Short mmCIF file of all heavy atoms in Angstrom, two decimals:
data_model
loop_
_atom_site.label_atom_id
_atom_site.label_comp_id
_atom_site.label_asym_id
_atom_site.label_seq_id
_atom_site.Cartn_x
_atom_site.Cartn_y
_atom_site.Cartn_z
N LEU R 522 27.92 173.95 158.56
CA LEU R 522 27.98 174.18 160.00
C LEU R 522 26.65 173.79 160.61
O LEU R 522 25.60 173.88 159.97
CB LEU R 522 28.26 175.66 160.28
CG LEU R 522 29.62 176.17 159.81
CD1 LEU R 522 29.72 177.67 159.99
CD2 LEU R 522 30.73 175.48 160.58
N PRO R 523 26.65 173.36 161.87
CA PRO R 523 25.38 173.00 162.50
C PRO R 523 24.46 174.20 162.61
O PRO R 523 24.91 175.34 162.73
CB PRO R 523 25.79 172.49 163.87
CG PRO R 523 27.18 172.93 164.08
CD PRO R 523 27.78 173.23 162.75
N MET R 524 23.16 173.94 162.56
CA MET R 524 22.18 175.02 162.64
C MET R 524 22.13 175.55 164.07
O MET R 524 21.87 174.81 165.00
CB MET R 524 20.80 174.51 162.22
CG MET R 524 19.76 175.57 162.36
SD MET R 524 18.80 176.06 160.95
CE MET R 524 18.76 174.76 159.83
N GLN R 525 22.44 176.81 164.21
CA GLN R 525 22.40 177.51 165.49
C GLN R 525 21.75 178.86 165.25
O GLN R 525 21.70 179.34 164.12
CB GLN R 525 23.82 177.74 166.04
CG GLN R 525 24.55 176.50 166.36
CD GLN R 525 25.97 176.77 166.87
OE1 GLN R 525 26.62 175.85 167.25
NE2 GLN R 525 26.46 177.97 166.87
N ARG R 526 21.29 179.48 166.31
CA ARG R 526 20.73 180.82 166.19
C ARG R 526 21.84 181.79 165.82
O ARG R 526 22.97 181.65 166.26
CB ARG R 526 20.06 181.23 167.49
CG ARG R 526 18.82 180.39 167.77
CD ARG R 526 17.99 180.99 168.88
NE ARG R 526 16.85 180.14 169.15
CZ ARG R 526 15.70 180.16 168.48
NH1 ARG R 526 15.55 181.01 167.49
NH2 ARG R 526 14.71 179.36 168.80
N PHE R 570 17.14 181.41 163.42
CA PHE R 570 17.84 180.35 162.71
C PHE R 570 17.99 180.81 161.27
O PHE R 570 17.22 181.68 160.81
CB PHE R 570 17.05 179.04 162.78
CG PHE R 570 17.12 178.36 164.12
CD1 PHE R 570 16.03 178.35 164.96
CD2 PHE R 570 18.29 177.73 164.53
CE1 PHE R 570 16.08 177.73 166.19
CE2 PHE R 570 18.36 177.11 165.77
CZ PHE R 570 17.25 177.10 166.61
N PRO R 571 18.96 180.27 160.51
CA PRO R 571 19.14 180.71 159.13
C PRO R 571 17.86 180.66 158.28
O PRO R 571 17.59 181.58 157.51
CB PRO R 571 20.21 179.76 158.58
CG PRO R 571 21.02 179.44 159.80
CD PRO R 571 20.02 179.34 160.92
N ASN R 572 17.04 179.62 158.44
CA ASN R 572 15.81 179.55 157.64
C ASN R 572 14.82 180.65 158.04
O ASN R 572 14.07 181.14 157.20
CB ASN R 572 15.17 178.16 157.72
CG ASN R 572 14.78 177.77 159.12
OD1 ASN R 572 15.41 178.18 160.09
ND2 ASN R 572 13.74 176.96 159.24
N TYR R 600 30.62 181.37 162.57
CA TYR R 600 29.97 181.79 163.81
C TYR R 600 31.01 182.54 164.64
O TYR R 600 32.14 182.08 164.80
CB TYR R 600 29.48 180.57 164.61
CG TYR R 600 28.20 179.96 164.09
CD1 TYR R 600 28.20 178.70 163.51
CD2 TYR R 600 27.00 180.63 164.20
CE1 TYR R 600 27.03 178.13 163.04
CE2 TYR R 600 25.81 180.08 163.73
CZ TYR R 600 25.84 178.82 163.15
OH TYR R 600 24.68 178.26 162.70
#
Side-chain angles (χ1 to χ4, degrees):
L522 295 173
M524 177 122 25
Q525 296 178 175
R526 293 193 182 276
F570 285 107
N572 61 329
Y600 283 111

